[in-house]
């Protein structure tokens, strides 16, 4: 391997070596003491989301495959978070970076990408980001990272401190160290693939639940078995929900998919702010809805145990949308009855 590539890999490893693990935060459900709920807080990575792990893996994969060289322009199709994290690693290695994103991507994310020296290339139709990225890569002789294809294979699913490995280590001293459920959304599908493979490899009984927002194909595809499902436009919850079944979505390692109304996701992060004292991103709200569904099933079936989910990113990225009363009203989202529902579940145990 070339000198530049080995120096680049060392730079990424040194960056990892300077970083600390993210917290696993317990959140009590006061009405249900037999259930332990935990949030793996992925918002505290240097670039603010779980995509920090993915970007690191994609760069290492591209370097070790000989796809990324000293002068390679990196191009990515992204709804935002991945591009922020990849811009960080591109800067670390001194490589030009271009993010191809839907025009609706939050201004906060665009600012972050540009802060790390990346360029944003915005398209009107979210479904065209793949084609446009491929075209740009060809034109510039660059490398299209293609997170939606490579997320599941760039991540070291057997362990090596992947998100599953670190969660199970952090659970070791808890009353129920092996969770009944792990709940996560799917953008690339990479996170659910890593969890699903890891629990099988470790021979654990934990089941994986994917939560899917409105206007996304994962739910229909999972239950119909049709991997050609399509839908139009974006999902309404940044980071999750896709207009096509992404190659990194591995349905065979997933045990259940729950459909989540957007208003329930938005209300959930307002409720979480009450009980956690902090703002989380929209997809964390989608996770909470899934948790409530599963926990209420557990209670009905007389089961006790633990459930783990993620804080995928920080809510301060969404002050102009999910946290903005005017935005909610303009888009017809009435969160109050939903916030009430979460309160009733947490404090009275009724879902
Ligand atoms: C990407 C993303 C997810 C989903 O993770 P995948 O591993 O891509 O399926 C959830 N929330 C946010 C904020 C994301 O950026």
């Amino acid at each position: 391997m070339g000198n530049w590539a080995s120096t680049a890999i060392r730079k990424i490893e040194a960056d990892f070596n300077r970083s600390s693990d993210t917290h696993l935060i317990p959140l009590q459900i006061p009405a249900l003491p037999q259930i332990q709920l935990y949030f793996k807080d992925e918002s505290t990575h240097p670039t603010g989301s779980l995509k920090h792990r993915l970007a690191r893996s994609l760069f290492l994969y591209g370097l070790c495959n000989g796809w990324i060289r000293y002068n390679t322009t990196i191009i990515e199709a992204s709804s935002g978070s991945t591009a922020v994290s990849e811009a960080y690693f591109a800067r670390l290695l001194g490589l030009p970076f271009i993010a191809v994103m839907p025009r609706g991507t939050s201004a906060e994310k665009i600012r972050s990408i540009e802060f790390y020296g990346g360029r944003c290339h915005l398209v009107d139709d979210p479904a065209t980001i793949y084609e446009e990225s491929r075209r740009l890569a060809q034109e510039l002789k660059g490398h299209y990272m293609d997170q939606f294809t490579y997320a599941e294979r760039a991540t070291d699913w057997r362990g090596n401190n992947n998100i599953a490995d670190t969660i199970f280590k952090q659970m070791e001293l808890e009353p129920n160290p092996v969770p009944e459920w792990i709940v996560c959304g799917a953008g690339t599908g990479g996170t659910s693939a890593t969890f699903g493979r890891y629990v099988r490899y470790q021979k654990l009984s934990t089941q994986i639940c994917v939560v899917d927002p409105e206007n996304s194909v994962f739910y229909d595809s999972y239950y119909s078995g049709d991997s050609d499902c399509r839908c139009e436009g974006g999902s309404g919850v940044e980071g999750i929900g896709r207009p096509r079944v992404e190659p990194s979505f591995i349905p065979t390692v997933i045990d259940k998919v729950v459909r989540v109304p957007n208003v329930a996701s938005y209300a959930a992060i307002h409720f979480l702010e009450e009980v956690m004292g902090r703002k989380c991103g929209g997809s964390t709200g989608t996770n909470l809805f899934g948790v409530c569904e599963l926990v209420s099933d557990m209670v009905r079936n007389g089961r006790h145990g633990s459930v783990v989910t993620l804080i995928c990113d920080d809510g301060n990225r969404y002050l102009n949308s999910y946290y903005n009363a005017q935005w909610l009203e303009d888009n017809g989202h009435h969160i109050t009855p939903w916030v009430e529902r979460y309160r009733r579940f947490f404090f009275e145990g009724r879902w």
Side-chain angles (χ1 to χ4, degrees):
M1 176 163 43
N3 209 0
W4 183 85
S6 45
T7 305
I9 291 166
R10 189 187 168 90
K11 276 183 187 165
I12 293 174
E13 285 180 335
D15 180 76
F16 178 73
N17 206 43
R18 290 190 298 271
S19 302
S20 57
D21 200 354
T22 61
H23 298 287
L24 187 65
I25 300 172
L27 180 68
Q28 268 195 356
I29 304 175
L32 304 171
Q34 72 275 37
I35 305 291
Q36 297 87 40
L37 172 59
Y38 302 86
F39 286 82
K40 177 68 168 166
D41 183 5
E42 293 289 285
S43 73
T44 62
H45 287 292
T47 57
S49 82
L50 78 173
K51 291 304 188 326
H52 199 78
R53 293 179 194 274
L54 174 61
R56 182 193 295 129
S57 298
L58 287 168
F59 269 92
L60 287 173
Y61 195 66
L63 286 163
C64 295
N65 280 322
W67 295 339
I68 299 174
R69 294 158 48 86
Y70 73 99
N71 60 353
T72 307
T73 297
I74 306 296
I75 295 139
E76 182 65 294
S78 174
S79 64
S81 297
T82 304
V84 176
S85 302
E86 287 175 345
Y88 169 95
F89 284 101
R91 187 180 73 167
L92 185 73
L93 305 186
L95 299 172
F97 177 74
I98 304 172
V100 179
M101 302 187 296
R103 202 166 293 283
T105 305
S106 77
E108 289 87 342
K109 283 186 193 164
I110 292 174
R111 258 200 309 279
S112 303
I113 293 162
E114 290 173 347
F115 172 81
Y116 291 121
R119 257 178 55 204
C120 297
H121 181 93
L122 303 179
V123 299
D124 291 316
D125 177 0
T128 62
I129 56 173
Y130 317 100
E131 213 36 61
E132 187 60 10
S133 301
R134 196 163 288 120
R135 190 192 64 73
L136 267 179
Q138 227 154 41
E139 186 183 302
L140 302 170
K141 296 193 176 17
H143 174 59
Y144 170 27
M145 286 287 237
D146 196 357
Q147 56 165 332
F148 294 108
T149 299
Y150 293 106
E152 57 90 3
R153 72 194 77 160
T155 301
D156 211 337
W157 54 272
R158 290 184 196 85
N160 195 13
N161 212 41
N162 69 32
I163 189 165
D165 199 29
T166 153
I167 286 174
F168 279 92
K169 280 184 197 143
Q170 288 174 313
M171 286 292 290
E172 270 169 13
L173 302 182
E174 299 306 305
N176 292 292
V178 176
E180 294 269 307
W181 288 98
I182 294 176
V183 181
C184 65
T188 64
T191 303
S192 53
T194 302
F195 281 132
R197 288 167 172 164
Y198 184 88
V199 297
R200 279 160 182 76
Y201 186 59
Q202 296 290 338
K203 304 171 288 290
L204 300 166
S205 59
T206 304
Q207 292 185 279
I208 312 302
C209 174
V210 163
V211 284
D212 201 32
E214 291 170 35
N215 208 38
S216 168
V217 295
F218 293 126
Y219 177 90
D220 286 338
S221 163
Y222 181 81
Y223 287 107
S224 69
D226 176 7
S227 56
D228 291 327
C229 299
R230 297 281 158 142
C231 67
E232 296 278 310
S235 82
V237 181
E238 277 189 48
I240 60 169
R242 301 297 309 161
R244 64 169 204 190
V245 183
E246 301 297 349
S248 275
F249 180 73
I250 312 290
T252 44
V253 299
I254 294 163
D255 299 285
K256 186 182 173 90
V257 179
V258 171
R259 171 74 90 194
V260 183
N262 289 347
V263 64
S265 298
Y266 308 147
I269 57 177
H270 287 262
F271 171 71
L272 275 178
E273 190 175 8
E274 293 178 8
V275 290
M276 260 186 179
R278 50 174 296 186
K279 290 184 166 70
C280 304
S283 67
T284 306
T286 315
N287 289 343
L288 183 70
F289 181 91
V291 165
C292 293
E293 290 274 311
L294 295 167
V295 168
S296 76
D297 279 350
M298 284 170 68
V299 171
R300 196 173 325 108
N301 297 324
R303 296 187 71 88
H304 57 92
S306 59
V307 175
V308 175
T309 191
L310 314 177
I311 296 174
C312 304
D313 66 353
D314 193 278
N316 288 300
R317 285 179 165 178
Y318 309 97
L319 298 181
N320 297 318
S321 52
Y322 316 143
Y323 283 104
N324 182 308
Q326 193 63 49
W327 183 91
L328 288 170
E329 194 182 314
D330 292 348
N331 289 281
H333 300 298
H334 303 292
I335 62 168
T336 309
W338 286 93
V339 174
E340 282 295 336
R341 187 173 177 198
Y342 291 115
R343 283 191 197 123
R344 202 172 57 227
F345 186 57
F346 267 60
F347 297 105
E348 298 165 31
R350 290 185 295 122
W351 179 235

